[in-house]
Amino acid sequence: MNAHSGKHTADATTVEEGLAIAEEQDRQYTNEMATETAMQNTLLTPRFYTTDFDELDAIDVSEVREDWDKLIDQMEADPNRGHFKKNEDWDHVDWENMEPQLKKEFIDFLISSCTAEFSGCVLYKEMKRRGNNKDITQLFQLMARDEARHAGFINDALREAGLRVNLGFLTQKKKYTYFRPKFIYYATYLSEKIGYARYITIFRHLEANPEHRFHPIFKWFREWCNDEFSHGEAFALLMKTDPKLTSGKNVYWIKFFLTAVYATMYVRDHQRPAFHAALGVDPDWYAHEVFTKTSELSKQIFPITLDIDSPKWQPLLERLQKANVDLDAAKKQGGPIGFIKRMSASARAATAFVQLLLIPSKGHQVPANVRLEPVY
């Protein structure tokens, strides 16, 4: 009998143990459709990243030692151990009779979320493997542990629908994108903080409107988003160790990543109208709620926020979304006419994105102490 038989990824204390359990489950399940979806690489799908690990390993956290040690102690206490698995609160899901479009969009949401969580796991695990800096390797080991649990939990939900993402296959076969460490900081910090804002907004909405909770996984979103919050705090402290990362010309990079992350979320969410309708959520309202929370949180380390209340902001997002819809239709049409339409839609999308970038941002003073606690 396998040493991991009967265990669950939620109980794993290290990323290695969690992945071994997931690998055993994969051997017992062979459907590949979800894995094929997770393998796709487009502007809107989660990517796997690699970076200069030697540069990461050279980070000195002395300047933020007090906050750093508190965060590590909090993560080592592992308050969510055993949480991410089904229990008596997991209601039966009637996948067979779920409205077809909702089922399609919800499965897409689960696969995308699983891929995003596992991409973080892969990056953090690699840093732990390659590094020698105890502070950095300890942090990345703890974050990889959390992300492996999240990915395993989503796979549990997918298995009920007759699907699963083969995490080991993704590790070996999915294309990796190289980002310089500072870009990893910006992108991953925002990914973790916007993840917190997304999950807590849905959780609070369903807490007030439980009739829209069409799947039990949403009951687990509060603890899930608190993990995301802690990971974002770690990247805020990493950026705090080098003031150059959040000043000078790098402020332009911060603005680019803020705009790209917000715009990608807006376009992706508008691809799932049935999903948001089932939740009882208007995608435009949801986007503004998430942008507002993320902007407020990011003031802890970024010296600017985007002007999401500008009269230009929403119309440009809608223009970008329309161009994306037309681009998808053109790709499906194919042929010379489809190619011309695709070029036109791509140009309109690029123009809308550049115009979003040109909206003046709002500056503010970054606080001396960057540490935050989840309050939403």
Side-chain angles (χ1 to χ4, degrees), residues 50-124:
T50 186
T51 191
D52 184 335
F53 294 101
D54 290 336
E55 185 176 332
L56 278 175
D57 201 43
I59 295 172
D60 181 359
V61 302
S62 300
E63 289 294 317
V64 294
R65 173 58 66 186
E66 183 178 355
D67 286 330
W68 183 273
D69 288 345
K70 287 179 181 177
L71 178 63
I72 294 298
D73 287 346
Q74 174 187 318
M75 295 177 72
E76 283 200 312
D78 201 4
N80 282 337
R81 182 182 178 185
H83 175 74
F84 294 104
K85 61 183 177 183
K86 300 172 188 175
N87 58 24
E88 62 276 5
D89 293 326
W90 189 272
D91 309 311
H92 171 71
V93 182
D94 187 1
W95 283 102
E96 290 298 321
N97 293 310
M98 187 179 291
E99 194 277 320
Q101 187 60 29
L102 172 59
K103 182 177 180 179
K104 177 179 180 294
E105 292 178 14
F106 183 51
I107 286 174
D108 178 71
F109 168 80
L110 291 176
I111 294 172
S112 176
S113 298
C114 184
T115 309
E117 296 289 345
F118 192 61
S119 72
C121 173
V122 170
L123 177 66
Y124 303 155

Coordinates of all heavy atoms in Angstrom, one line a residue, residues 50-124:
T50 N 9.4 31.4 -14.3 CA 10.7 31.1 -13.8 C 11.5 32.5 -13.7 O 11.0 33.5 -14.3 CB 11.5 30.1 -14.6 OG1 12.7 29.8 -14.0 CG2 11.8 30.7 -16.0
T51 N 12.6 32.5 -12.9 CA 13.2 33.8 -12.7 C 14.7 33.6 -12.4 O 15.2 32.5 -12.4 CB 12.5 34.6 -11.6 OG1 13.0 35.9 -11.5 CG2 12.7 33.9 -10.2
D52 N 15.4 34.6 -12.0 CA 16.8 34.6 -11.6 C 16.8 34.2 -10.1 O 16.7 35.1 -9.2 CB 17.5 35.9 -11.8 CG 18.9 35.9 -11.5 OD1 19.4 35.0 -10.7 OD2 19.7 36.7 -12.0
F53 N 16.9 32.9 -9.8 CA 16.8 32.5 -8.4 C 18.0 32.9 -7.6 O 17.9 33.1 -6.4 CB 16.7 30.9 -8.4 CG 15.4 30.5 -9.0 CD1 15.3 30.0 -10.3 CD2 14.2 30.6 -8.3 CE1 14.1 29.6 -10.8 CE2 13.0 30.1 -8.8 CZ 13.0 29.6 -10.1
D54 N 19.2 33.1 -8.2 CA 20.3 33.6 -7.4 C 20.1 35.0 -6.9 O 20.5 35.3 -5.8 CB 21.6 33.6 -8.3 CG 22.1 32.2 -8.7 OD1 21.8 31.3 -7.9 OD2 22.7 32.1 -9.7
E55 N 19.4 35.8 -7.7 CA 19.1 37.2 -7.2 C 18.1 37.1 -6.1 O 18.2 37.9 -5.1 CB 18.5 38.0 -8.4 CG 18.3 39.5 -8.0 CD 17.8 40.3 -9.2 OE1 18.1 40.0 -10.3 OE2 17.0 41.3 -8.9
L56 N 17.1 36.3 -6.1 CA 16.2 36.1 -5.0 C 16.9 35.6 -3.8 O 16.6 36.1 -2.7 CB 15.1 35.1 -5.4 CG 13.9 35.6 -6.3 CD1 13.0 34.4 -6.6 CD2 13.1 36.6 -5.5
D57 N 17.9 34.7 -4.0 CA 18.6 34.1 -2.8 C 19.4 35.1 -2.1 O 19.8 34.9 -1.0 CB 19.4 32.9 -3.3 CG 19.8 32.0 -2.2 OD1 18.9 31.7 -1.4 OD2 20.9 31.5 -2.2
A58 N 19.8 36.2 -2.8 CA 20.7 37.3 -2.2 C 19.9 38.3 -1.4 O 20.5 39.2 -0.8 CB 21.5 37.9 -3.3
I59 N 18.6 38.2 -1.3 CA 17.8 39.2 -0.5 C 18.2 39.2 0.9 O 18.3 38.1 1.6 CB 16.3 38.9 -0.7 CG1 15.9 39.1 -2.2 CG2 15.5 39.8 0.2 CD1 14.5 38.7 -2.4
D60 N 18.3 40.4 1.5 CA 18.6 40.5 2.9 C 17.4 41.2 3.6 O 17.0 42.3 3.3 CB 19.9 41.4 3.1 CG 20.2 41.6 4.6 OD1 19.5 41.1 5.5 OD2 21.2 42.3 4.9
V61 N 16.8 40.4 4.5 CA 15.5 40.9 5.1 C 15.8 41.7 6.4 O 14.8 41.9 7.2 CB 14.5 39.8 5.3 CG1 14.2 39.1 4.0 CG2 15.0 38.8 6.4
S62 N 17.0 42.1 6.7 CA 17.4 42.7 8.0 C 16.5 43.9 8.2 O 16.1 44.2 9.4 CB 18.8 43.1 8.0 OG 19.7 41.9 7.9
E63 N 16.2 44.7 7.1 CA 15.5 46.0 7.3 C 14.0 45.7 7.7 O 13.4 46.6 8.3 CB 15.5 46.7 6.0 CG 16.8 47.4 5.6 CD 17.3 48.4 6.6 OE1 16.4 49.3 6.9 OE2 18.4 48.4 7.0
V64 N 13.5 44.6 7.5 CA 12.1 44.3 7.9 C 12.1 43.1 8.8 O 11.0 42.4 8.9 CB 11.3 44.0 6.6 CG1 11.2 45.2 5.7 CG2 11.9 42.8 5.8
R65 N 13.2 42.8 9.6 CA 13.3 41.6 10.4 C 12.1 41.4 11.3 O 11.6 40.3 11.4 CB 14.6 41.7 11.1 CG 14.8 40.5 12.2 CD 14.7 39.2 11.5 NE 15.8 38.9 10.6 CZ 15.9 37.9 9.8 NH1 14.9 37.0 9.8 NH2 16.9 37.7 9.0
E66 N 11.7 42.5 12.1 CA 10.6 42.3 13.0 C 9.3 41.8 12.4 O 8.7 40.8 12.8 CB 10.4 43.6 13.8 CG 9.4 43.5 14.9 CD 9.2 44.8 15.7 OE1 9.9 45.8 15.4 OE2 8.3 44.8 16.5
D67 N 8.9 42.5 11.3 CA 7.7 42.1 10.6 C 7.9 40.8 9.9 O 6.9 40.0 9.9 CB 7.3 43.2 9.6 CG 6.7 44.4 10.2 OD1 6.1 44.3 11.3 OD2 6.9 45.5 9.7
W68 N 9.1 40.5 9.4 CA 9.3 39.2 8.7 C 9.1 38.1 9.7 O 8.4 37.1 9.4 CB 10.7 39.2 8.2 CG 11.1 38.0 7.4 CD1 11.6 36.9 7.9 CD2 11.0 37.8 6.0 NE1 11.8 36.0 6.8 CE2 11.4 36.5 5.7 CE3 10.5 38.7 4.9 CZ2 11.4 36.0 4.4 CZ3 10.5 38.2 3.6 CH2 11.0 36.9 3.4
D69 N 9.8 38.1 10.8 CA 9.7 37.0 11.8 C 8.2 36.8 12.3 O 7.8 35.7 12.5 CB 10.6 37.3 13.0 CG 12.1 37.2 12.6 OD1 12.4 36.6 11.6 OD2 12.9 37.6 13.4
K70 N 7.5 37.9 12.4 CA 6.1 37.7 12.9 C 5.3 37.0 11.8 O 4.4 36.1 12.1 CB 5.5 39.1 13.1 CG 5.9 39.8 14.4 CD 5.3 41.1 14.6 CE 5.8 41.8 15.8 NZ 5.2 43.2 16.0
L71 N 5.5 37.4 10.5 CA 4.8 36.7 9.4 C 5.2 35.3 9.3 O 4.3 34.4 9.2 CB 5.1 37.5 8.1 CG 4.4 36.9 6.9 CD1 2.9 36.9 7.0 CD2 4.9 37.6 5.6
I72 N 6.5 34.9 9.4 CA 6.9 33.5 9.3 C 6.3 32.7 10.5 O 5.9 31.6 10.3 CB 8.4 33.5 9.3 CG1 9.0 34.1 8.0 CG2 8.9 32.0 9.4 CD1 8.6 33.4 6.8
D73 N 6.3 33.3 11.7 CA 5.7 32.6 12.8 C 4.3 32.3 12.6 O 3.8 31.2 12.9 CB 5.9 33.4 14.1 CG 7.3 33.5 14.6 OD1 8.1 32.6 14.1 OD2 7.6 34.3 15.5
Q74 N 3.6 33.3 12.0 CA 2.1 33.1 11.7 C 1.9 32.0 10.7 O 1.0 31.2 10.9 CB 1.6 34.4 11.2 CG 0.1 34.4 10.7 CD -0.3 35.7 10.1 OE1 0.1 36.8 10.5 NE2 -0.9 35.6 8.9
M75 N 2.7 32.0 9.7 CA 2.6 30.9 8.7 C 3.0 29.6 9.2 O 2.4 28.5 8.8 CB 3.4 31.3 7.4 CG 2.9 32.6 6.7 SD 3.9 33.1 5.3 CE 3.5 31.8 4.1
E76 N 4.0 29.5 10.0 CA 4.5 28.2 10.6 C 3.4 27.6 11.5 O 3.3 26.4 11.7 CB 5.8 28.4 11.3 CG 7.0 28.5 10.3 CD 8.3 28.1 11.0 OE1 8.6 28.7 12.1 OE2 9.1 27.3 10.5
A77 N 2.7 28.5 12.2 CA 1.6 28.1 13.1 C 0.6 27.3 12.3 O -0.1 26.4 12.9 CB 1.0 29.2 13.8
D78 N 0.5 27.5 11.0 CA -0.3 26.7 10.1 C -1.8 26.6 10.5 O -2.3 25.5 10.7 CB 0.3 25.3 9.9 CG -0.2 24.6 8.7 OD1 -0.9 25.3 7.9 OD2 0.2 23.5 8.5
P79 N -2.5 27.8 10.7 CA -3.9 27.7 11.1 C -4.9 27.0 10.2 O -5.9 26.6 10.6 CB -4.3 29.2 11.2 CG -3.3 29.9 10.3 CD -2.1 29.2 10.4
N80 N -4.5 26.8 8.9 CA -5.4 26.2 7.9 C -5.1 24.8 7.7 O -5.6 24.2 6.7 CB -5.4 27.0 6.6 CG -6.2 28.3 6.7 OD1 -7.1 28.4 7.6 ND2 -5.9 29.2 5.9
R81 N -4.2 24.2 8.5 CA -3.9 22.7 8.3 C -5.2 21.9 8.5 O -5.9 22.1 9.4 CB -2.8 22.3 9.2 CG -2.4 20.8 9.0 CD -1.4 20.3 10.0 NE -1.1 18.9 9.7 CZ -0.3 18.2 10.5 NH1 0.3 18.7 11.5 NH2 -0.1 16.9 10.2
G82 N -5.5 21.1 7.5 CA -6.6 20.2 7.6 C -7.9 20.9 7.1 O -9.0 20.2 7.1
H83 N -7.8 22.2 6.8 CA -9.1 22.9 6.4 C -9.6 22.6 5.0 O -10.8 22.4 4.8 CB -8.8 24.4 6.5 CG -10.0 25.2 6.1 ND1 -11.2 25.3 6.8 CD2 -10.2 25.9 4.9 CE1 -12.0 26.1 6.2 NE2 -11.5 26.5 5.0
F84 N -8.6 22.4 4.1 CA -9.1 22.4 2.7 C -9.4 20.9 2.2 O -8.7 20.3 1.4 CB -8.0 23.0 1.8 CG -7.8 24.5 2.0 CD1 -6.8 25.0 2.7 CD2 -8.8 25.3 1.5 CE1 -6.7 26.3 2.9 CE2 -8.7 26.7 1.7 CZ -7.6 27.2 2.4
K85 N -10.4 20.4 2.8 CA -11.0 19.1 2.4 C -12.4 19.1 2.8 O -12.9 19.8 3.6 CB -10.2 18.0 3.1 CG -10.3 17.9 4.6 CD -9.4 16.8 5.1 CE -9.4 16.7 6.6 NZ -8.5 15.7 7.1
K86 N -13.1 18.2 2.1 CA -14.6 18.1 2.3 C -14.9 17.6 3.7 O -14.3 16.7 4.2 CB -15.2 17.1 1.3 CG -15.0 17.5 -0.2 CD -15.4 16.4 -1.1 CE -15.0 16.7 -2.6 NZ -15.3 15.6 -3.5
N87 N -16.0 18.2 4.3 CA -16.5 17.7 5.5 C -18.0 17.8 5.5 O -18.6 17.8 4.4 CB -15.9 18.6 6.7 CG -16.3 20.1 6.5 OD1 -17.2 20.4 5.9 ND2 -15.5 20.9 7.2
E88 N -18.7 17.8 6.7 CA -20.1 17.8 6.7 C -20.8 19.0 6.0 O -22.0 19.0 5.7 CB -20.6 17.6 8.1 CG -20.3 18.7 9.1 CD -18.9 18.6 9.7 OE1 -18.2 17.7 9.3 OE2 -18.5 19.4 10.5
D89 N -20.0 20.1 5.9 CA -20.5 21.3 5.2 C -20.5 21.2 3.7 O -21.0 22.1 3.0 CB -19.7 22.5 5.7 CG -19.9 22.8 7.1 OD1 -21.0 22.6 7.6 OD2 -18.9 23.3 7.8
W90 N -19.9 20.2 3.2 CA -19.8 20.0 1.7 C -21.1 19.4 1.2 O -21.4 18.2 1.3 CB -18.7 19.1 1.3 CG -18.4 19.1 -0.1 CD1 -18.9 18.2 -1.0 CD2 -17.5 19.9 -0.9 NE1 -18.4 18.5 -2.3 CE2 -17.5 19.5 -2.2 CE3 -16.6 21.0 -0.5 CZ2 -16.8 20.1 -3.2 CZ3 -15.9 21.6 -1.5 CH2 -16.0 21.2 -2.8
D91 N -22.0 20.3 0.6 CA -23.3 19.8 0.1 C -23.1 19.0 -1.2 O -22.1 19.2 -1.9 CB -24.2 21.1 -0.2 CG -24.2 22.0 1.0 OD1 -24.5 21.6 2.1 OD2 -24.0 23.2 0.8
H92 N -24.1 18.2 -1.4 CA -24.1 17.4 -2.7 C -24.3 18.4 -3.8 O -25.1 19.3 -3.8 CB -25.3 16.4 -2.6 CG -25.5 15.8 -4.0 ND1 -24.7 14.8 -4.5 CD2 -26.5 15.9 -4.9 CE1 -25.1 14.4 -5.7 NE2 -26.2 15.1 -6.0
V93 N -23.5 18.1 -4.9 CA -23.6 18.9 -6.1 C -24.2 18.1 -7.2 O -23.7 17.0 -7.6 CB -22.2 19.4 -6.5 CG1 -22.3 20.3 -7.8 CG2 -21.6 20.2 -5.4
D94 N -25.3 18.5 -7.8 CA -26.0 17.8 -8.9 C -25.3 18.2 -10.2 O -25.9 19.0 -11.0 CB -27.5 18.1 -8.9 CG -28.2 17.2 -9.9 OD1 -27.6 16.4 -10.6 OD2 -29.5 17.3 -9.9
W95 N -24.2 17.7 -10.5 CA -23.5 18.1 -11.8 C -24.3 17.7 -13.0 O -24.3 18.4 -14.0 CB -22.1 17.4 -11.8 CG -21.1 18.1 -10.9 CD1 -20.6 17.6 -9.7 CD2 -20.4 19.3 -11.2 NE1 -19.7 18.5 -9.2 CE2 -19.5 19.5 -10.1 CE3 -20.3 20.2 -12.2 CZ2 -18.6 20.6 -10.0 CZ3 -19.5 21.3 -12.2 CH2 -18.6 21.5 -11.1
E96 N -25.0 16.6 -12.9 CA -25.7 16.1 -14.1 C -26.8 17.1 -14.6 O -27.0 17.3 -15.8 CB -26.3 14.7 -13.8 CG -25.3 13.6 -13.7 CD -24.5 13.4 -15.0 OE1 -25.1 13.5 -16.1 OE2 -23.3 13.1 -14.9
N97 N -27.4 17.7 -13.6 CA -28.6 18.6 -13.9 C -28.2 20.1 -13.8 O -29.1 20.9 -13.9 CB -29.8 18.3 -13.0 CG -30.3 16.9 -13.3 OD1 -30.6 16.5 -14.4 ND2 -30.5 16.1 -12.2
M98 N -26.9 20.4 -13.7 CA -26.5 21.8 -13.6 C -26.7 22.4 -15.0 O -26.5 21.7 -16.0 CB -25.1 21.9 -13.2 CG -24.6 23.4 -13.0 SD -22.9 23.5 -12.5 CE -23.0 22.9 -10.8
E99 N -27.2 23.6 -15.1 CA -27.4 24.3 -16.4 C -26.2 24.2 -17.2 O -25.1 24.6 -16.7 CB -27.9 25.8 -16.1 CG -28.5 26.5 -17.3 CD -27.4 27.1 -18.2 OE1 -26.4 27.6 -17.7 OE2 -27.5 27.0 -19.4
P100 N -26.2 23.8 -18.4 CA -25.0 23.5 -19.2 C -24.0 24.7 -19.3 O -22.8 24.4 -19.2 CB -25.6 23.1 -20.6 CG -26.9 22.6 -20.3 CD -27.4 23.4 -19.2
Q101 N -24.5 25.9 -19.6 CA -23.6 27.0 -19.7 C -22.9 27.3 -18.4 O -21.7 27.6 -18.3 CB -24.3 28.2 -20.3 CG -23.3 29.4 -20.6 CD -22.3 29.1 -21.6 OE1 -22.5 28.2 -22.5 NE2 -21.1 29.7 -21.5
L102 N -23.7 27.2 -17.3 CA -23.1 27.5 -15.9 C -22.1 26.4 -15.6 O -21.0 26.7 -15.1 CB -24.2 27.4 -14.9 CG -23.8 27.5 -13.4 CD1 -22.9 28.7 -13.1 CD2 -24.9 27.3 -12.5
K103 N -22.4 25.1 -16.0 CA -21.4 24.1 -15.7 C -20.1 24.3 -16.5 O -19.0 24.2 -15.9 CB -22.1 22.7 -16.1 CG -21.2 21.5 -15.9 CD -21.9 20.2 -16.3 CE -21.0 19.0 -16.1 NZ -21.7 17.8 -16.4
K104 N -20.2 24.7 -17.7 CA -19.1 25.0 -18.6 C -18.2 26.1 -18.0 O -17.0 26.0 -17.8 CB -19.5 25.3 -20.0 CG -18.4 25.7 -20.9 CD -18.9 26.0 -22.3 CE -17.8 26.4 -23.3 NZ -17.2 27.7 -22.9
E105 N -18.9 27.2 -17.6 CA -18.1 28.3 -17.1 C -17.6 28.1 -15.7 O -16.5 28.5 -15.4 CB -19.0 29.6 -17.0 CG -19.4 30.1 -18.4 CD -20.4 31.3 -18.4 OE1 -20.5 31.9 -17.3 OE2 -21.0 31.6 -19.4
F106 N -18.3 27.3 -14.9 CA -17.8 27.0 -13.5 C -16.6 26.1 -13.6 O -15.6 26.3 -12.9 CB -18.9 26.4 -12.7 CG -18.5 26.2 -11.2 CD1 -17.9 27.1 -10.5 CD2 -18.7 24.9 -10.7 CE1 -17.5 26.9 -9.2 CE2 -18.4 24.7 -9.4 CZ -17.8 25.7 -8.6
I107 N -16.7 25.1 -14.5 CA -15.5 24.2 -14.7 C -14.3 25.0 -15.1 O -13.2 24.8 -14.7 CB -15.9 23.1 -15.6 CG1 -16.8 22.1 -14.9 CG2 -14.6 22.4 -16.1 CD1 -17.3 20.9 -15.8
D108 N -14.5 25.9 -16.1 CA -13.5 26.8 -16.5 C -12.9 27.6 -15.4 O -11.6 27.8 -15.3 CB -14.0 27.7 -17.6 CG -12.9 28.7 -18.1 OD1 -12.0 28.2 -18.8 OD2 -13.0 29.9 -17.8
F109 N -13.7 28.1 -14.5 CA -13.3 28.9 -13.3 C -12.4 28.0 -12.4 O -11.3 28.4 -12.0 CB -14.5 29.4 -12.6 CG -14.2 29.9 -11.2 CD1 -13.7 31.2 -11.0 CD2 -14.4 29.2 -10.1 CE1 -13.4 31.7 -9.8 CE2 -14.1 29.7 -8.8 CZ -13.6 30.9 -8.7
L110 N -12.9 26.7 -12.2 CA -12.1 25.8 -11.3 C -10.8 25.5 -11.9 O -9.7 25.4 -11.2 CB -12.9 24.6 -11.0 CG -14.2 24.7 -10.2 CD1 -14.9 23.4 -10.1 CD2 -13.8 25.2 -8.8
I111 N -10.7 25.2 -13.2 CA -9.5 24.8 -13.9 C -8.5 26.0 -13.9 O -7.3 25.8 -13.6 CB -9.7 24.3 -15.3 CG1 -10.5 23.0 -15.3 CG2 -8.4 24.1 -16.1 CD1 -11.0 22.6 -16.7
S112 N -9.0 27.2 -14.2 CA -8.2 28.4 -14.2 C -7.6 28.6 -12.8 O -6.4 28.9 -12.6 CB -9.0 29.6 -14.7 OG -8.2 30.8 -14.6
S113 N -8.5 28.5 -11.7 CA -8.0 28.7 -10.4 C -7.0 27.7 -9.9 O -6.0 28.0 -9.3 CB -9.3 28.7 -9.4 OG -10.2 29.7 -9.7
C114 N -7.2 26.4 -10.3 CA -6.3 25.4 -10.0 C -4.9 25.6 -10.6 O -3.9 25.5 -10.0 CB -6.9 24.0 -10.4 SG -5.8 22.6 -9.9
T115 N -5.0 26.0 -11.9 CA -3.7 26.3 -12.6 C -3.0 27.5 -12.0 O -1.7 27.4 -11.8 CB -4.0 26.6 -14.1 OG1 -4.8 25.6 -14.6 CG2 -2.7 26.7 -14.9
A116 N -3.7 28.5 -11.6 CA -3.1 29.7 -11.0 C -2.5 29.3 -9.7 O -1.3 29.8 -9.3 CB -4.1 30.8 -10.8
E117 N -3.2 28.6 -8.8 CA -2.6 28.2 -7.5 C -1.4 27.3 -7.7 O -0.4 27.5 -7.0 CB -3.7 27.4 -6.7 CG -4.9 28.2 -6.4 CD -4.7 29.3 -5.3 OE1 -3.7 29.2 -4.6 OE2 -5.6 30.2 -5.1
F118 N -1.5 26.4 -8.7 CA -0.3 25.5 -8.8 C 0.9 26.2 -9.5 O 2.0 25.8 -9.2 CB -0.8 24.3 -9.7 CG 0.2 23.2 -9.6 CD1 0.6 22.6 -8.4 CD2 0.9 22.8 -10.8 CE1 1.5 21.5 -8.4 CE2 1.8 21.7 -10.8 CZ 2.2 21.1 -9.6
S119 N 0.6 27.2 -10.3 CA 1.8 27.9 -10.8 C 2.6 28.6 -9.7 O 3.8 28.6 -9.8 CB 1.3 29.0 -11.8 OG 0.6 30.1 -11.2
G120 N 1.9 29.1 -8.7 CA 2.6 29.7 -7.5 C 3.3 28.6 -6.8 O 4.5 28.8 -6.4
C121 N 2.7 27.5 -6.6 CA 3.4 26.3 -6.0 C 4.7 26.0 -6.7 O 5.7 25.8 -6.0 CB 2.4 25.2 -5.9 SG 3.2 23.6 -5.3
V122 N 4.6 25.9 -8.0 CA 5.8 25.5 -8.8 C 6.9 26.5 -8.6 O 8.1 26.1 -8.4 CB 5.4 25.3 -10.2 CG1 6.7 25.1 -11.1 CG2 4.5 24.1 -10.4
L123 N 6.6 27.8 -8.7 CA 7.6 28.8 -8.6 C 8.2 28.8 -7.2 O 9.4 28.9 -7.0 CB 7.0 30.2 -8.9 CG 7.9 31.4 -8.7 CD1 9.0 31.4 -9.7 CD2 7.1 32.7 -8.8
Y124 N 7.4 28.8 -6.2 CA 7.9 28.8 -4.8 C 8.7 27.6 -4.4 O 9.7 27.7 -3.7 CB 6.7 29.0 -3.8 CG 5.8 30.1 -4.0 CD1 4.4 30.1 -3.6 CD2 6.2 31.3 -4.7 CE1 3.6 31.2 -3.9 CE2 5.4 32.4 -4.9 CZ 4.1 32.3 -4.5 OH 3.2 33.4 -4.7

